[in-house]
Amino acid sequence: MTNRLILAVFLLGLLGGCSTPRVIETTKLSDRDLSCESLKDEFKRAEEAKKEAEDVKGVTGTNTAAAIFFPIGIIATYSNANEAIAAADARMSRLADLMDKKNCK
C-alpha cells in the first residue's frame, strides 16, 4: 500500500512539473487608448511572457524526467511554449507599431 502511495505522489509531481506557459492575448481592445508609458509596460510584460515560455523549453531535470516517463506531456509543453512565444512576439510587434504611431520615445 505504501508503494502505491509513493508512486501516486511521484506521478502527480511529474504531471505538475510539466509546466505550461501562459499564452498572452496578442491584441486587446484597449490597446489604442494606452499611453506611451502603458504601452511600454505592456511590452515589458510580453517580453517576460516570452522569456518564461523559452525557459520552459530548456533542458531541466523536470523536462528530462517528463520526456522519459510522460513523453506526450513534454510534447504538449513544448507545443504550448511555441504558441506562447509566437503570441508574445505578435504582441510585441503590435505594441511597437502603436508606440511608433504615437511617437513614443
Side-chain angles (χ1 to χ4, degrees), residues 8-99:
V9 170
F10 173 76
L11 290 175
L12 285 174
L14 186 62
L15 288 175
C18 293
S19 175
T20 54
R22 179 177 54 92
V23 179
I24 62 172
E25 294 178 66
T26 57
T27 302
K28 296 180 183 177
L29 293 175
S30 62
D31 284 347
R32 293 188 187 277
D33 299 328
L34 293 175
S35 67
C36 286
E37 195 60 38
S38 295
L39 286 168
K40 290 175 188 176
D41 289 342
E42 285 290 318
F43 193 90
K44 286 177 189 172
R45 285 189 197 110
E47 284 180 320
E48 290 168 3
K50 181 177 179 177
K51 183 178 179 338
E52 288 173 12
E54 289 172 339
D55 289 348
V56 167
K57 291 177 63 174
V59 178
T60 65
T62 301
N63 285 351
T64 302
I68 293 169
F69 296 108
F70 193 59
I72 294 171
I74 195 71
I75 292 168
T77 297
Y78 271 58
S79 176
N80 181 261
N82 288 334
E83 184 181 347
I85 291 167
D89 283 338
R91 178 85 176 134
M92 288 186 296
S93 178
R94 172 164 171 72
L95 293 168
D97 287 344
L98 288 171
M99 285 188 280

